[in-house]
Amino acid sequence: MRRGFLLSLLVHLVLLLLFVLNISAYLMPEPQVVSMQVKLVADPNAARRAKPHKVKAVHTQQSSAPKAAPKPTPRKPKVADANKPHLVTAADADKKIIQQKKPEPKTQAEQQKDNDIRPPKLDKTPNKKNILAAKEPQTKPEKPDPEDFMAALDYIDDLKDKKSALKVDDTATQTTLYDTTQQEIGTIKALIERNWYLPPGMADKQGVDVTILVRMNPDGTIADMTIEKSSGRQFVDDSLLRAIRKSVPLPIPADKYDTFKSIEFHFNGDKGSIG
Amino acid sequence: MRRLTYIMLVMATLWAGPAHALVRIDLTTSNSNPLPVAVTDFTGDTPDGRSMGEQFKDVVKNDLARSGLFAPIDDKAFLQSGSSLKINGPIFNEWRMINAQILVSGTIEMLDNGTKVRAVYHMYDVVEEKEIAAKAYTADVKFWRYAAHRISDDIYTQVTGEGGYFTSRIVYIAQDKVPGMQTLRKRLCIMDSDGENSQCLTDGHALVLTPHFSPTVQQVVYMSYASGKPRLYLLDLPTGKQEMLGDFPGLNSAPRFSPDGKDVLLTLTMGHEGNSDIYKMNLETHKLTRLTYNRAIDTSASYSPDGKHIVFNSDREGRPALFIMDADGSNKHRLTFGAGNYYAPVWSPRGDLIAFVKSVGDHFDIGVIDPQGQEERLLTDSFLDESPSWSPNGRVIIFSRELPNGKTRIHTVDLTGYNDQEVPTPTDASDPAWSPLLH
């Protein structure tokens, strides 16, 4: 009797807790929810007001402060400090405002894809993002998605997929990407590749294997970059760091910040071709 | 108890909330366009220093542009002035606005009553906002170009991770018409890698051909008809002394140094009824070692950079093709199987490629192939391209190009087949050969 009572009490307590904690917040995809709120109460000036970077802009000037007189002694180049916080410059800040003022494009390709992929939820062909990136995005104002519930289910499926994918190997990592972010990923990829200058005809370019982890700020600037796996050739590491920094602010929709909080850029000479 | 654990587990799972995503982006290509670079005047305190500083800038810009890997930005686009740069250091924002990725600035000081020049350069990564290199070079004023090329090499290495090739020299055969001579006058000449400082070492009374530098750049080996017969000579550059490398009957040709400079490979026809074979001569003892014994024509031997293998040209299996053997003449095997004829192989100092001349139809073009015989490709498509020679870093091939109108000029091309450039010479020129780096 007592055991039954205790069990019942526990179950009720748990249920109560779940209500207090608002389960739906955990079942719904957080990025999407944020997205709708942003859209509905968007204040175009909020970003401008919230921008705390004026002080940092001065920092740039400091960094370019008198370099002292020419150094008479030969010196070695400094080792790249990957952990150096990004210096937000006036130009960056300007670009950022422009970036945020733009109405967020919802592409036909993306919507078409949304329709196509349900019920088979995840297309695992590796070239898909390239194909998507190649399509010219047609901008139209975003409408609230009536299929949010389906999206939530997809999201959960994706999470499951991701968990199993993480245990497998590199080739399966494509499945970690949410369908709805493929477009953004394609855009970022193309941007970095365009800014990544490497000399053609590099020796042993098949041997290049480099991974850089970038932690993003919500405004598309870089919080910090870490070389997770060096190519073993400093000029390659440097050139990729430069390419990422040159691409700032990365075109990340504000409502997908959670997804793009950490980005791992990776190049392997066996799978791609550089130089 | 077990149930309690289970419930707690469920709750813990719920507490964890949505997992954090890590987006992974696999890059598959890069931009192979030239890197935008800003090179400013090297500022000086005296009028001499200032004009020297402008010349430094011109040489560095020209080197970088000719390499095909850099796109120097026009000075007129610069936002930050030279004086501001000198006082304040770079305002990176202004250099980013003109799309520079690398900024090079410098100063010039004239020393010892203007007989010496001291150049200091600073190289900045404009995007990452940091100085990536700085160095000073002091040189005799008449060798100021040498110091400027050193700076170009430093910049090149910093960006490409490979050794430079600007501080090097090119030996070649200058050809011109002079009154009283029926044939073209051919002289042995040496110039800087950018075609400047050309200087001829022979007077042109005898035909000279196929010069090559020793690894120390102190000697040149070449073929000459100075004695009336085709013989090989060794020219010591510091003393100007010439020495005949043996007087073997028949044709003595195709000389080339070994990587350690102790031996010279050569082709001799002695005693085989005019059939040519490859020999090695030790320069100290003048001892001759025969490496090929075939009845076919074997010629144009070139060492691999490690000195362990030799690539050569032979028609032993029909058409002229390329073969590789060990340095002692053993283990000969065929390298090229394509249609057409292959000539004049030369092994890259990087070791990864062999350049050659290939004739298909009425064309002679420059091509490369790897030492395993894979990935053969032609780099040029012209009328008559010949005499390929590698830059010290194995990235660029210099060759002579004869046009249908009879003009012969020296060109360079990247191993990618892009960036075909003429090297300016005062007269027609052929048989170019690159020296090692002069650092």
Side-chain angles (χ1 to χ4, degrees), chain A residues 1-270:
Chain A
M1 282 305 269
R2 265 193 84 185
R3 286 180 69 190
F5 172 74
L6 269 176
L7 192 63
S8 155
L9 188 70
L10 263 170
V11 167
H12 279 88
L13 267 172
V14 167
L15 279 173
L16 192 69
L17 252 170
L18 292 185
F19 278 113
V20 168
L21 295 172
N22 191 0
I23 327 171
S24 63
Y26 294 96
L27 292 178
M28 299 292 279
E30 197 170 315
Q32 262 91 351
V33 171
V34 174
S35 143
M36 299 191 54
Q37 283 168 347
V38 167
K39 290 300 153 208
L40 291 173
V41 300
D43 174 359
N45 291 320
R48 198 197 295 269
R49 281 202 303 274
K51 182 168 61 79
H53 295 306
K54 278 282 183 269
V55 181
K56 284 190 177 176
V58 177
H59 199 155
T60 298
Q61 293 294 356
Q62 281 174 353
S63 76
S64 61
K67 277 289 175 195
K71 294 173 187 68
T73 46
R75 50 190 293 284
K76 283 186 176 173
K78 280 181 255 168
V79 177
D81 182 5
N83 292 320
K84 186 183 75 173
H86 174 57
L87 307 172
V88 178
T89 65
D92 287 347
D94 286 350
K95 271 193 255 169
K96 187 192 75 194
I97 291 165
I98 294 163
Q99 180 74 25
Q100 293 190 341
K101 273 185 193 164
K102 278 187 214 156
E104 191 199 329
K106 175 84 177 179
T107 67
Q108 249 183 0
E110 206 176 329
Q111 287 177 341
Q112 179 63 37
K113 181 168 54 95
D114 282 350
N115 298 336
D116 286 350
I117 51 159
R118 228 169 272 127
K121 56 212 181 313
L122 211 60
D123 183 350
K124 293 179 187 177
T125 38
N127 284 330
K128 189 175 173 195
K129 58 183 174 182
N130 293 341
I131 295 161
L132 283 175
K135 283 187 188 165
E136 195 62 41
Q138 285 191 328
T139 52
K140 53 161 88 168
E142 191 182 13
K143 309 178 280 198
D145 185 359
E147 291 186 317
D148 246 359
F149 181 63
M150 292 302 283
L153 287 181
D154 270 6
Y155 178 80
I156 290 164
D157 282 345
D158 283 353
L159 279 183
K160 281 184 200 153
D161 257 25
K162 193 188 71 178
K163 273 177 191 154
S164 55
L166 281 177
K167 285 169 201 152
V168 197
D169 68 348
D170 280 359
T171 55
T173 51
Q174 294 287 345
T175 57
T176 66
L177 311 175
Y178 310 129
D179 283 328
T180 49
T181 63
Q182 291 283 11
Q183 182 80 25
E184 284 87 0
I185 285 171
T187 311
I188 294 170
K189 174 178 179 288
L191 185 63
I192 304 285
E193 286 173 351
R194 194 163 58 241
N195 283 325
W196 191 17
Y197 283 88
L198 274 176
M202 251 171 70
D204 187 29
K205 58 188 179 184
Q206 282 79 19
V208 173
D209 189 356
V210 58
T211 306
I212 291 177
L213 178 67
V214 183
R215 270 179 271 276
M216 304 297 305
N217 293 320
D219 61 1
T221 58
I222 292 163
D224 74 87
M225 296 199 277
T226 329
I227 300 175
E228 289 210 311
K229 183 172 196 299
S230 169
S231 66
R233 285 178 257 189
Q234 201 191 331
F235 79 98
V236 174
D237 296 356
D238 281 356
S239 65
L240 185 51
L241 290 171
R242 200 152 59 217
I244 297 167
R245 185 85 75 198
K246 184 98 185 0
S247 308
V248 163
L250 292 185
I252 295 169
D255 60 332
K256 292 197 177 151
Y257 172 58
D258 264 15
T259 307
F260 287 97
K261 205 178 238 171
S262 298
I263 309 178
E264 202 176 69
F265 290 100
H266 173 246
F267 176 84
N268 186 322
D270 293 334

Side-chain angles (χ1 to χ4, degrees), chain B residues 272-429:
Chain B
H272 319 294
E273 296 158 347
N275 172 41
S276 60
D277 274 304
I278 294 164
Y279 293 76
K280 176 177 83 173
M281 179 190 277
N282 183 294
L283 287 177
E284 215 169 281
T285 63
H286 282 229
K287 188 176 156 257
L288 212 55
T289 313
R290 188 169 169 186
L291 298 176
T292 66
Y293 293 86
N294 203 280
R295 294 164 60 95
I297 294 172
D298 296 327
T299 186
S300 303
S302 165
Y303 274 105
S304 62
D306 62 6
K308 289 181 179 161
H309 305 281
I310 294 169
V311 61
F312 64 101
N313 167 250
S314 174
D315 62 359
R316 57 182 62 204
E317 291 181 11
R319 306 166 76 98
L322 305 186
F323 291 78
I324 290 181
M325 61 181 169
D326 291 353
D328 61 2
S330 64
N331 198 15
K332 296 182 180 73
H333 61 277
R334 187 165 172 178
L335 177 69
T336 60
F337 293 90
N341 299 337
Y342 297 80
Y343 305 97
V346 48
W347 213 307
S348 151
R350 209 155 87 173
D352 58 347
L353 290 171
I354 291 163
F356 54 81
V357 176
K358 185 177 185 178
S359 79
V360 185
D362 55 355
H363 269 215
F364 284 78
D365 296 319
I366 306 294
V368 290
I369 191 167
D370 72 25
Q372 288 73 45
Q374 309 292 313
E375 310 227 354
E376 175 186 332
R377 58 184 197 271
L378 291 181
L379 305 181
T380 66
D381 180 13
S382 186
F383 171 65
L384 175 49
D385 290 347
E386 54 185 355
S387 309
S389 171
W390 289 94
S391 66
N393 65 355
R395 253 207 72 98
V396 183
I397 295 169
I398 194 165
F399 59 96
S400 58
R401 168 167 293 169
E402 190 178 326
L403 299 171
N405 64 11
K407 289 222 175 301
T408 305
R409 311 300 294 191
I410 291 176
H411 283 249
T412 56
V413 68
D414 280 17
L415 53 78
T416 54
Y418 289 101
N419 195 31
D420 185 328
Q421 303 237 5
E422 185 183 326
V423 181
T425 47
T427 64
D428 270 16

Side-chain angles (χ1 to χ4, degrees), chain B residues 232 248 253-255 264-268 277-281 288:
Chain B
L232 303 182
F248 308 106
S253 65
V264 168
L265 291 174
L266 55 151
T267 302
L268 301 175
D277 274 304
I278 294 164
Y279 293 76
K280 176 177 83 173
M281 179 190 277
L288 212 55

